[in-house]
Amino acid sequence: MNLTINDNKNIQTLQSEFNAMFPFLRLMLTKAQTEGETSRNISVKQPFDEHTTLLAYKIASDAAPITIYPEMTVAELEHQFVQQYGLEPIILRKSGKVWIETSITDDWTLEEQNTQGELITRQMNERNKPS
């Protein structure tokens, strides 16, 4: 299953469709860092209005739609969004009851990230079940 991103899709719809495809991952979009910015701390990044379409951020007028697929790495997804929209996607992986940023594992595919999130969450849930 693939998810095609076109300019008329709003951020909320994109996030919902991404989460349906990868239930143990979350997609956040922030403005891409400019030269001189070094922080990847998501707490200082401001998310966008979820009802805004991606067309409002498009910077590459001749680019084809982005297709998200399970074998795509986080790094590839990041690169395409920065190049086409000037937006930096931040992928969060579920780890039990919390969501962690996948920045250390950007070379993993989205499918690997999702599978690891599922495994960790299930293990933690089993561990926390009353005996």
Side-chain angles (χ1 to χ4, degrees), residues 39-91:
S39 176
R40 281 192 49 99
N41 183 349
I42 62 173
S43 65
V44 298
K45 294 182 181 267
Q46 298 298 315
F48 294 102
D49 176 9
E50 295 178 333
H51 302 291
T52 304
T53 64
L54 292 170
L55 181 61
Y57 306 106
K58 189 159 187 157
I59 58 175
S61 60
D62 60 347
I66 295 172
T67 300
I68 298 174
Y69 51 95
E71 300 80 19
M72 173 182 257
T73 67
V74 171
E76 290 170 332
L77 179 65
E78 289 173 347
H79 177 76
Q80 287 190 19
F81 265 92
V82 168
Q83 294 299 311
Q84 191 157 334
Y85 296 107
L87 299 175
E88 180 180 350
I90 298 172
I91 306 299

